[in-house]
Amino acid sequence: MSADLFVASHLKVKHNSAGEVSVTFPMHPDLDRPAPPDNSGTRITTCLSKRGAKAIRGAVYLADQKHRGMTTFATATFDADARERLASGETTIGAEVRRFLDAWRSRYRKHGKTPPVFIWVAENPNNDNPHVHILTNDKIEYRHFKMWARGLESLWGNGMVHLEKIKYSKAAGRYLLKAIGYLAKGTDGNQGEVTGQRYGVSREVMPKECVDYVRIGYNEVVALRKLVSDLKGTHFNSIYIHEYGIWVPPGFGMDQLFTWISTYISGHV
C-alpha cells in the first residue's frame, strides 16, 4: 500500500490502560525534518508538561480502579539547609523524593504488607520556594495525622510534611493539578524552575500506552476530517474534538469512542 493511500484511509489511535484514547490522522513522513535538539545534560523545566498532566490523570484513574483510590494529599517542604543543597547541585528535588518514597514503601515491605502507590509533582514558585505535592493511597485515621506527619518528616529529613485527607478519590488528580496552578494557567502557570525530574508516578499506576493504526476507508476518513474541521474546540459530554482529531478521558475506552465515530460517519458518508 502506498503512503498516500495509507494516510487517506487510516486513523492513528493512541490509547492506554486507563481507557484514555486519542484519534488523529496519520501524517506523511517528513524526510527533510532536521534532527531533534540534543537533550543530554541537566534538564531544567519551568512547568508541568501536558504529557505529565496526562500521566497524572490516567494514574489517578487506575489508582481508583485497582488500588483503593488516592486518599491522602501530602506537601513536603525544604528547609534552609536543604535549599542550599539544592542550589549547590548537591542533590535534586527528584532524588530527594525518590529516597523519601522508597523509605516510605520499605516500612510496609518489612511487615509483609503491600506498599502504597504515589503520584508526585514538584514546583518552585518564584524560584525560591521548592516543595513537592504527593498523592498516595496510604491512609490512617484523621485523628492520627499529626503523629503520622512527624513520622514522615523523620523520613523526609528536609523540612516539614503537611497532610490532608482527600474526600473524593476520583477528583484527586484535579486536586493535585489545581494545587500547582496547572488548571488555572496550564503550562503558563508560575510553577518555577525545577532541575531534573519534575513529576513521578508509581509503576503500578503508570498508564501503559499503545499506538495502533486502524483502517476505516477513504470515504470514512473524509467524513471524519470534515467533522474535525467543523467542530474543532467542541465538547460532547466527555468527547473533545480538537484541530487534529478526537480525545476522550481516562475510563472512556476505545469501543465506546469508535461506536460514536461509526454512528457519526454512517450519517455523513
Side-chain angles (χ1 to χ4, degrees):
M1 179 182 295
S2 68
D4 287 338
L5 183 57
F6 182 87
V7 169
S9 60
H10 285 68
L11 298 177
K12 181 180 180 180
V13 183
K14 295 178 67 175
H15 53 100
N16 62 33
S17 54
E20 185 174 10
V21 186
S22 177
V23 174
T24 56
F25 304 105
M27 303 294 291
H28 283 283
D30 186 357
L31 301 180
D32 298 322
R33 179 182 300 174
D38 183 13
N39 284 328
S40 60
T42 303
R43 185 185 181 196
I44 298 176
T45 58
T46 58
C47 59
L48 179 69
S49 64
K50 292 182 178 179
R51 180 179 180 181
K54 178 181 177 182
I56 288 169
R57 285 191 295 261
V60 168
Y61 175 82
L62 290 177
D64 194 63
Q65 295 294 306
K66 300 179 180 180
H67 297 275
R68 308 185 310 277
M70 295 304 197
T71 53
T72 304
F73 183 80
T75 300
T77 61
F78 290 85
D79 58 25
D81 289 341
R83 292 185 188 190
E84 287 185 9
R85 291 190 291 113
L86 290 176
S88 67
E90 179 182 341
T91 187
T92 64
I93 295 178
E96 293 303 310
V97 175
R98 290 192 296 272
R99 177 193 56 76
F100 174 50
L101 299 185
D102 284 344
W104 192 335
R105 279 188 282 252
S106 292
R107 289 189 168 187
Y108 279 77
R109 295 192 184 99
K110 288 179 181 178
H111 294 89
K113 297 180 180 179
T114 302
V117 295
F118 302 95
I119 302 170
W120 64 269
V121 179
E123 64 171 338
N124 186 20
N126 301 316
N127 296 327
D128 65 359
N129 182 24
H131 57 274
V132 184
H133 297 297
I134 303 168
L135 287 174
T136 179
N137 64 340
D138 198 0
K139 64 178 181 179
I140 63 173
E141 293 183 26
Y142 183 74
R143 59 194 177 96
H144 297 310
F145 261 40
K146 288 186 178 180
M147 178 183 68
W148 190 22
R150 286 196 297 269
L152 291 177
E153 284 173 359
S154 68
L155 291 180
W156 174 235
N158 291 309
M160 297 181 63
V161 175
H162 175 72
L163 299 172
E164 298 177 47
K165 185 177 182 180
I166 295 177
K167 189 173 182 181
Y168 301 108
S169 62
K170 287 183 173 63
R174 185 175 182 84
Y175 191 86
L176 175 59
L177 295 176
K178 185 176 180 180
I180 63 170
Y182 184 89
L183 292 183
K185 298 182 180 179
T187 55
D188 296 325
N190 180 25
Q191 300 166 37
E193 292 185 355
V194 171
T195 301
Q197 188 176 356
R198 191 177 195 100
Y199 74 95
V201 177
S202 291
R203 185 182 298 107
E204 297 91 336
V205 291
M206 172 63 79
K208 296 177 175 59
E209 292 201 342
C210 300
V211 176
D212 294 317
Y213 289 90
V214 178
R215 182 173 185 176
I216 64 172
Y218 174 78
N219 292 331
E220 287 75 10
V221 169
V222 170
L224 199 57
R225 285 184 181 274
K226 186 176 188 307
L227 165 72
V228 169
S229 176
D230 293 345
L231 301 178
K232 63 182 178 182
T234 303
H235 289 266
F236 292 93
N237 295 324
S238 297
I239 299 172
Y240 174 62
I241 300 176
H242 52 85
E243 60 181 316
Y244 303 109
I246 301 172
W247 174 87
V248 294
F252 198 93
M254 286 183 61
D255 293 342
Q256 188 173 346
L257 176 59
F258 272 92
T259 297
W260 184 86
I261 290 175
S262 299
T263 301
Y264 173 86
I265 287 177
S266 63
H268 293 81
V269 174

